[in-house]
Amino acid sequence: MHIIQVAAEFAPLIKAGGLGEVLVGLSRQLSASNHRVDVILPKYDFIPLELLANLKLEIANFTTWENSREIKNTMWSAEFENIHLHLLEPHHPANYFNRGKIYGFEDDVPRFLYFCKATIEYLKIKQFPIDILHLHDWHAAPAAALAREHLPPTSIALSIHNLEHQGKCGAHDLIRIGLHDQRLKKFQCDQYPDSFNSLKGGIEECDAIIPVSPTYAKEILTAQYGFGLDSTLLKHQHKIRGILNGIDEILWNPDKDHFLEAKFNPSGPLPKVIDAKKKNQDSLAKRFGIKGPKDAPWIGTITRIVHQKGPEFLEAAIEQTIQNGGIFALLGSSPIPKMQSHFEQLKMRYKSHSQVFLHLDFDEELAHQLYAALDFILLPSHFEPCGLTQLIGMHYGAIPIVRSTGGLKDTVFEKTSLTKQNGYVFEGLEIPPFLEKITEAVRVMKTEPQRHAQIMSNGLKSDFGWEKPAKEYLELYRNLIRLV
Ligand code: ADP
């Protein structure tokens, strides 16, 4: 098959969260199964081009129209292993992708609408025989409508990595990239006719909608999780199929992870894993002046600090961890200045507390080191489409403590046989049950070491690779192709 992926992120080149990792993990697996995979991305000015082989100019000066303004673009191509990358460089007066970061600008919607428009122009020029056009999240979703208008009949899949972000806009934003009449209407919100929405247009126009876990696929049909799109999604329920993400085992392999002080084989003997984790803890403790009681459990997480991730729960976990004689370690940063400054204040408050380590930055290297050091990884998310953090955590020997929602519900199991338990799960929206779970997990670690070891081992041995999810995607792609 010839599969075209369109997205805003692709790890390790450009990553703000799970989206970039899914793009590389899925693409690697599809190309390993002998399919041709092309990925189209914006050419951000901070992509480390040295990671790309054979970067070359593919098409110079092709035209995109924004209203009546003619804009030229250059498409660059490069090989990333067996994946064909295409990097779109618009020569746009607003310097859409030359701003040092991926998101967080007032004109994010026009930036990505433009990206969709130019992507479709490019595909039109190339005349690829496309089997599947696979779009990811709101940044790429409008390309579905443009493809319907400008490309021959194509099977279009749309992955929903996070329904909270929808690319809300006005009609004028869509008209600017040439969407009118019936096509424009598909972007219109059911409840608020003056409001338009990039993701909604994609949902209406695509052939398959893929939320990133089976539980999330059901949750988004409800008002609680639907972020206003639940009624639209219900209308298109027949197109929805949840497929759980995997983790990319090249990005995340504790046996070959050059960031780690002590590497370990997750399927090797448990005492060796535990020994390596202790060394990784000692190394971080020395570097950052962290100190706790002997054999203190390391409890923490690696996260974007946003409402979704339950920051108030994480804050409450600091005191609980201290009370439980543990070390609390958080690596996180927030795109919301108020939230970032709140955590900066917390950091000041715990400045002289040697059991609390708050590192408020985005730091890939430290993330690897912390996964390998943590005994418990916290995900008290209000909602979680899939969550890679708990999967990476388990692969690195950190036992997850999670809310029962979305992909967390599909991957972390407590109330099952001991041979299957791989973590701790709490229900509901209150903080105390979460704190009780932390205390219970620490108690098991201290008083039932064999049970603790079994839970950790179950996580280490789980298969969260991309092989199985990629097979599901391929099956879905084949079904779509049959429909065209
Ligand atoms: P989301 O995409 O909602 O942020 P996921 O769990 O799917 O959540 O993926 C998060 C990814 O981003 C993980 O690989 C995690 O390690 C990484 N990450 C999050 N915050 C940071 C940070 N501050 N520094 C480094 N990596 C981070």
Side-chain angles (χ1 to χ4, degrees):
M1 269 183 250
H2 188 177
I3 302 151
I4 311 260
Q5 312 262 4
V6 186
E9 299 181 33
F10 183 89
L13 304 179
I14 345 157
K15 162 181 158 180
L19 174 63
E21 288 181 45
V22 171
L23 257 292
V24 76
L26 174 61
S27 302
R28 268 184 177 137
Q29 191 63 46
L30 293 172
S31 78
S33 316
N34 291 324
H35 299 283
R36 181 183 161 117
V37 183
D38 288 68
V39 180
I40 305 177
L41 302 161
K43 186 171 182 290
Y44 304 96
D45 55 353
F46 54 95
I47 292 179
L49 297 176
E50 68 278 6
L51 295 183
L52 298 175
N54 211 4
L55 178 70
K56 54 175 189 278
L57 195 151
E58 189 179 355
I59 308 179
N61 286 328
F62 68 97
T63 299
T64 303
W65 293 90
E66 241 188 2
N67 280 339
S68 55
R69 181 159 65 174
E70 184 185 10
I71 316 257
K72 296 288 182 195
N73 308 276
T74 301
M75 189 64 96
W76 299 86
S77 70
E79 304 302 313
F80 183 85
E81 299 157 17
N82 292 325
I83 303 162
H84 307 278
L85 292 186
H86 307 273
L87 305 172
L88 175 84
E89 181 185 17
H91 304 293
H92 194 284
N95 279 320
Y96 276 161
F97 300 109
N98 296 335
R99 302 181 184 180
K101 60 176 188 170
I102 310 175
Y103 316 113
F105 303 100
E106 260 183 23
D107 59 351
D108 275 356
V109 172
R111 290 169 73 222
F112 286 102
L113 284 174
Y114 182 89
F115 168 60
C116 291
K117 175 93 194 266
T119 292
I120 297 300
E121 297 289 355
Y122 160 77
L123 291 174
K124 209 161 93 183
I125 296 168
K126 288 295 277 193
Q127 296 191 340
F128 280 133
I130 305 169
D131 291 308
I132 294 288
L133 181 62
H134 189 163
L135 311 172
H136 295 265
D137 270 353
W138 74 264
H139 324 103
L146 294 162
R148 295 286 180 234
E149 192 120 343
H150 299 288
L151 298 181
T154 310
S155 299
I156 304 178
L158 170 67
S159 280
I160 299 185
H161 299 264
N162 193 329
L163 193 65
E164 183 179 15
H165 307 294
Q166 301 178 358
K168 291 186 178 146
C169 54
H172 62 279
D173 291 308
L174 297 156
I175 291 168
R176 190 162 48 212
I177 60 159
L179 291 167
H180 301 279
D181 308 325
Q182 286 314 308
R183 294 238 176 272
L184 181 65
K185 260 194 141 69
K186 302 226 168 142
F187 289 77
Q188 196 167 22
C189 294
D190 293 334
Q191 293 126 317
Y192 309 103
D194 288 343
S195 184
F196 289 72
N197 179 318
S198 304
L199 191 61
K200 179 171 182 286
I203 290 169
E204 298 265 358
E205 295 277 14
C206 73
D207 301 301
I209 302 163
I210 311 153
V212 287
S213 69
T215 294
Y216 193 57
K218 289 185 213 138
E219 287 176 341
I220 56 176
L221 301 176
T222 66
Q224 185 185 351
Y225 294 99
F227 285 100
L229 284 180
D230 38 301
S231 58
T232 304
L233 286 161
L234 268 172
K235 233 172 36 199
H236 293 273
Q237 199 174 357
H238 58 284
K239 300 196 295 199
I240 300 179
R241 170 161 172 191
I243 301 181
L244 200 63
N245 285 333
I247 49 172
D248 184 80
E249 285 166 334
I250 297 179
L251 292 179
W252 299 106
N253 179 358
D255 206 14
K256 296 213 172 105
D257 193 326
H258 57 276
F259 292 132
L260 302 190
E261 171 78 22
K263 301 181 182 50
F264 58 89
N265 177 354
S267 5
L270 198 61
K272 280 200 167 172
V273 175
I274 293 173
D275 187 51
K277 285 186 72 78
K278 283 258 170 296
K279 287 191 180 129
N280 289 313
Q281 290 174 351
D282 290 346
S283 157
L284 284 186
K286 219 153 99 205
R287 199 161 114 215
F288 293 107
I290 304 166
K291 259 197 221 103
K294 190 172 166 335
D295 291 329
W298 282 54
I299 301 171
T301 201
I302 294 120
T303 188
R304 288 184 295 122
I305 306 176
V306 290
H307 170 74
Q308 176 196 342
K309 305 289 180 179
E312 68 283 21
F313 286 69
L314 295 173
E315 186 175 339
I318 301 177
E319 282 301 323
Q320 189 66 46
T321 300
I322 297 170
Q323 269 181 35
N324 290 335
I327 283 162
F328 185 89
L330 173 105
L331 169 62
S333 62
S334 184
I336 306 155
K338 233 171 124 183
M339 194 81 95
Q340 179 78 15
S341 92
H342 179 72
F343 272 77
E344 298 283 0
Q345 282 165 21
L346 274 182
K347 185 176 167 153
M348 284 304 288
R349 193 185 320 153
Y350 287 103
K351 205 169 118 199
S352 52
H353 204 305
S354 60
Q355 279 167 263
V356 179
F357 171 60
L358 304 177
H359 196 92
L360 302 178
D361 205 351
F362 191 94
D363 187 330
E364 188 68 40
E365 180 173 339
L366 186 55
H368 285 244
Q369 293 160 346
L370 196 51
Y371 280 115
L374 288 174
D375 293 301
F376 299 103
I377 189 150
L378 308 175
L379 280 107
S381 308
H382 290 279
F383 69 95
E384 194 58 76
C386 175
L388 298 180
T389 313
Q390 81 281 13
L391 305 182
I392 303 166
M394 285 190 265
H395 200 48
Y396 277 62
I399 296 174
I401 301 176
V402 308
R403 181 201 300 288
S404 176
T405 183
L408 300 173
K409 196 168 174 174
D410 293 335
T411 55
V412 182
F413 312 108
E414 175 180 350
K415 291 197 170 49
T416 170
S417 65
L418 186 54
T419 51
K420 295 235 179 77
Q421 184 185 356
N422 58 10
Y424 295 88
V425 182
F426 72 98
E427 306 271 345
L429 296 166
E430 305 296 330
I431 293 177
F434 168 58
L435 301 183
E436 281 157 25
K437 277 295 161 199
I438 297 178
T439 304
E440 183 187 339
V442 171
R443 183 190 57 72
V444 170
M445 183 185 187
K446 289 189 174 159
T447 62
E448 298 179 64
Q450 278 189 338
R451 181 169 161 213
H452 174 77
Q454 181 69 54
I455 297 169
M456 183 175 166
S457 168
N458 292 341
L460 282 160
K461 296 206 167 89
S462 306
D463 173 14
F464 293 121
W466 267 104
E467 211 167 307
K468 188 167 164 279
K471 277 194 184 131
E472 287 191 54
Y473 273 100
L474 284 169
E475 185 193 307
L476 181 140
Y477 292 163
R478 285 195 188 99
N479 288 340
L480 293 185
I481 291 168
R482 261 184 237 126
L483 294 177
V484 176

